[in-house]
Amino acid sequence: MEGALPGAALPLPHLTPEDTLRSRDRHRVHDARLSGRRWYLLWLLVGPGILVMLGENDGPSMISYATTGATYGLGFFLPFIVATFVMAAVVQEMCMRVGAVTHRGYGQLVLERFGRLWGWFNAGDLIFTNLVTLIAEFVAIRVGLAYFHLGAGVAALLGVLLVAFTLSGGRYWRWERIVLGLAIFNGLFLVTAIVVKPHWGSVGHAFATFSPLPGGSRTTLLLLIASTIGATVTPWMIFFQQSASADKGLTPADVRHGRWDTIAGAVLACVFGCGALIAGAALFRHGGSSIQGLAGAGFPGALSHVSGHLAGTLFALGLIEAGAVAVLTISASTGYAVGECLGVAHSLNNSARGALVFYAANLGAALLAAGIILIPGVPLLSIALNANVLATVLLPVALVFMILLASDRELMGRWANSRLNNVVAVIIVAFITICGAAYAIDSFLHATHLV
Amino acid sequence: VTRTRDISSAQLAEAAARWPDADHEQLIEYLESDQLVEERSRPLGRRPLTHRMVVLLWALRVFVIVVGVMVIYTFFATLNS
């Protein structure tokens, strides 16, 4: 590969190993499109959307949904989860579109278009929330494994080994398919919901009427609303889907399939998330409102006591899966962000030698979080719930930059946001900002005894 | 900020080994020109922000820091109590 063909007027660009692998993937997409194999084409192009949505159905999210069900029963929060996934689909579609059109990650684009200050602010927010969330993911794995009498050491080892194994191939496609295979087991929460034998009439009534409305402590209600939002739209999702779409090699021709991928992910995650809430609601009349009490016993143990051993086992396995998949996607988003902001190689299509910083950030984030859960006396449920709240609070700035990028006509051309896109996106930002602030101010006033 | 990376001969050899049957032209054919690592490493130009947008972004940044500190304080206060 000399970079020039004999007799050619212009030298051909150099190809890196990353380009070669991406070109192979694009070759398959090209062939599938030409031969009209629609389902095969869809199979090749799905990935980032489903992964980001099922990745966000992570340990803290599922614990948050189950806590909501245990605290308030079946009611307002079931359709509220659907509404939050609609918001997530709108935001994530923008990320996919920007990634496919620009072939660049979110961190890199913010840095280049708006300067180092804003780029590093965003990356700082992400790294901080990612670390807290990763700790919460290991907590979820630990809670799940505790049901099978396995300790924190096993949880830490399992998570880190999984990250190392998935990264070992030096190939985006391999990584994506392994994580997708694991993410399917998020469906265990739906199976748990069926096993606890809910009153389906109440489920239907909740979806149709948004009622009964939750009562009780305002601070707990605001915490669970903020936490539920944080369970569906977070900073890492923005970084991850845009970077993964670019790394996968999506182009503007694939935007339609990217939308299907995102919608399919949102629908699956919404159904499984509602499953976790319905499963948690089985504890509603059995002291479920005592959230900290449940932290001691753990949801799987409490479910096992109320709805049988099978329900507890399924929920425990679901928590292990949810934590494991999120450890993989969130550590990948950390790697992408660090690589993009430092301007070094940041692709899963590189070997570890070719993208040392990217792989080190990926594995390092997982190692750090795994180390923290080994500290005795760590407040498990508080970390899990507050990780989501923190994500909600830090989200608005990242979202505003996403809207600016997606509506940048110089960058996006005809793929830029329409006026309607922008109006909907701004409403979402305003809603998330108000919910996050309401919880933060209310709980702060209580904590400082000002109210 | 983003540096154009030097591509070593070892990397080029690795690239060739990853898809030995394909020639250089064929590999490039399946990628969009701005999809190549070399192109993606070229920084895009800055987009000037309006004064109003800068004010909004700083207001949001301050808001996020204040609210974030409140959440963290509450978290630790709850633990201690």
Side-chain angles (χ1 to χ4, degrees):
Chain A
M1 299 223 176
E2 290 299 302
L5 287 177
L10 289 170
L12 284 172
H14 283 302
L15 285 177
T16 63
E18 182 186 332
D19 288 322
T20 311
L21 287 177
R22 193 165 294 122
S23 177
R24 276 182 88 158
D25 292 341
R26 295 308 301 169
H27 171 54
R28 289 194 294 168
V29 169
H30 183 258
D31 281 358
R33 189 166 270 137
L34 273 187
S35 58
R37 285 180 291 170
R38 288 188 302 170
W39 288 107
Y40 181 53
L41 180 63
L42 185 65
W43 163 248
L44 292 175
L45 292 175
V46 297
I50 294 178
L51 274 188
V52 81
M53 293 293 184
L54 291 183
E56 185 45 24
N57 258 10
D58 57 354
S61 302
M62 294 328 229
I63 290 174
S64 172
Y65 294 146
T67 304
T68 307
T71 310
Y72 299 112
L74 300 170
F76 167 80
F77 275 99
L78 268 179
F80 186 69
I81 289 176
V82 179
T84 56
F85 273 104
V86 172
M87 290 195 311
V90 171
V91 171
Q92 296 309 128
E93 188 274 339
M94 282 195 286
C95 303
M96 175 278 301
R97 192 158 26 94
V98 176
V101 172
T102 65
H103 308 303
R104 293 167 194 240
Y106 174 84
Q108 184 182 352
L109 277 184
V110 172
L111 216 76
E112 290 174 359
R113 295 296 275 167
F114 305 109
R116 296 169 71 98
L117 182 72
W118 294 111
W120 279 105
F121 265 147
N122 268 318
D125 287 350
L126 177 88
I127 291 166
F128 177 60
T129 51
N130 274 10
L131 274 179
V132 177
T133 313
L134 274 172
I135 296 167
E137 305 308 342
F138 278 100
V139 166
I141 299 175
R142 182 180 165 177
V143 167
L145 286 174
Y147 183 78
F148 302 106
H149 311 292
L150 295 168
V154 180
L157 189 68
L158 180 74
V160 172
L161 283 179
L162 204 55
V163 173
F165 169 69
T166 52
L167 289 178
S168 61
R171 181 106 163 81
Y172 174 84
W173 174 261
R174 176 183 180 274
W175 180 90
E176 182 191 85
R177 297 295 133 163
I178 293 173
V179 187
L180 269 179
L182 282 174
I184 295 303
F185 291 96
N186 206 254
L188 285 170
F189 290 101
L190 180 63
V191 181
T192 315
I194 295 167
V195 168
V196 300
K197 297 189 180 78
H199 185 261
W200 291 107
S202 304
V203 174
H205 180 262
F207 276 117
T209 63
F210 277 70
S211 64
L213 290 170
S217 155
R218 191 180 59 211
T219 307
T220 305
L221 175 62
L222 286 172
L223 167 68
L224 290 174
I225 287 179
S227 187
T228 304
I229 294 169
T232 38
V233 197
T234 59
W236 78 260
M237 293 169 77
I238 294 174
F239 273 81
F240 176 81
Q241 192 168 2
Q242 188 175 325
S243 300
S245 298
D247 203 2
K248 187 177 172 71
L250 295 188
T251 69
D254 309 319
V255 164
R256 193 164 58 94
H257 287 87
R259 284 184 178 136
W260 282 115
D261 178 33
T262 307
I263 292 168
V267 170
L268 285 174
C270 181
V271 170
F272 300 158
C274 288
L277 189 147
I278 293 169
L283 306 173
F284 179 49
R285 299 198 187 285
H286 299 271
S289 59
S290 170
I291 298 172
Q292 290 302 327
L294 282 178
F299 273 100
L303 269 178
S304 176
H305 181 67
V306 171
S307 301
H309 182 62
L310 180 61
T313 304
L314 288 171
F315 198 89
L317 288 173
L319 278 183
I320 296 167
E321 176 279 338
V325 168
V327 164
L328 298 173
T329 50
I330 295 173
S331 54
S333 90
T334 312
Y336 279 129
V338 171
E340 286 169 18
C341 289
L342 293 177
V344 295
H346 50 269
S347 169
L348 286 162
N349 277 330
N350 280 309
S351 61
R353 201 181 45 190
L356 199 59
V357 173
F358 170 74
Y359 278 90
N362 207 319
L363 194 58
L367 273 171
L368 189 60
I372 289 172
I373 67 149
L374 295 177
I375 300 169
V378 176
L380 304 184
L381 197 73
S382 290
I383 290 180
L385 286 176
N386 281 283
N388 278 345
V389 174
L390 203 57
T392 308
V393 164
L394 294 178
L395 186 61
V397 186
L399 274 180
V400 168
F401 278 109
M402 188 70 244
I403 297 169
L404 287 175
L405 289 172
S407 53
D408 185 341
R409 294 215 166 264
E410 194 185 326
L411 199 67
M412 298 290 291
R414 72 187 185 90
W415 298 100
N417 268 3
S418 66
R419 188 177 290 271
L420 180 65
N421 271 141
N422 281 338
V423 169
V424 173
V426 168
I427 291 171
I428 291 172
V429 175
F431 179 69
I432 290 173
T433 308
I434 291 167
C435 288
Y439 164 70
I441 294 167
D442 186 72
S443 57
F444 180 75
L445 292 177
H446 274 96
T448 51
H449 307 293
L450 291 171
V451 170
Chain B
V1 174
T2 307
R3 295 186 294 274
T4 303
R5 279 176 287 129
D6 294 329
I7 298 161
S8 67
S9 54
Q11 275 184 300
L12 292 176
E14 191 188 339
R18 288 193 173 199
W19 198 4
D21 304 338
D23 62 32
H24 198 151
E25 258 189 309
Q26 196 181 351
L27 286 168
I28 289 172
E29 194 180 286
Y30 293 116
L31 294 172
E32 294 195 342
S33 58
D34 57 350
Q35 211 168 4
L36 293 162
V37 169
E38 204 171 297
E39 278 300 313
R40 291 165 65 196
S41 303
R42 286 210 177 94
L44 297 168
R46 280 282 287 272
R47 176 187 166 180
L49 291 167
T50 61
H51 180 67
R52 194 188 294 179
M53 186 53 74
V54 172
V55 171
L56 172 76
L57 286 171
W58 273 111
L60 259 181
R61 169 53 50 191
V62 171
F63 163 82
V64 158
I65 290 171
V66 170
V67 174
V69 168
M70 282 178 169
V71 171
I72 293 166
Y73 174 84
T74 308
F75 172 70
F76 284 108
T78 311
L79 283 186
N80 290 332
S81 66

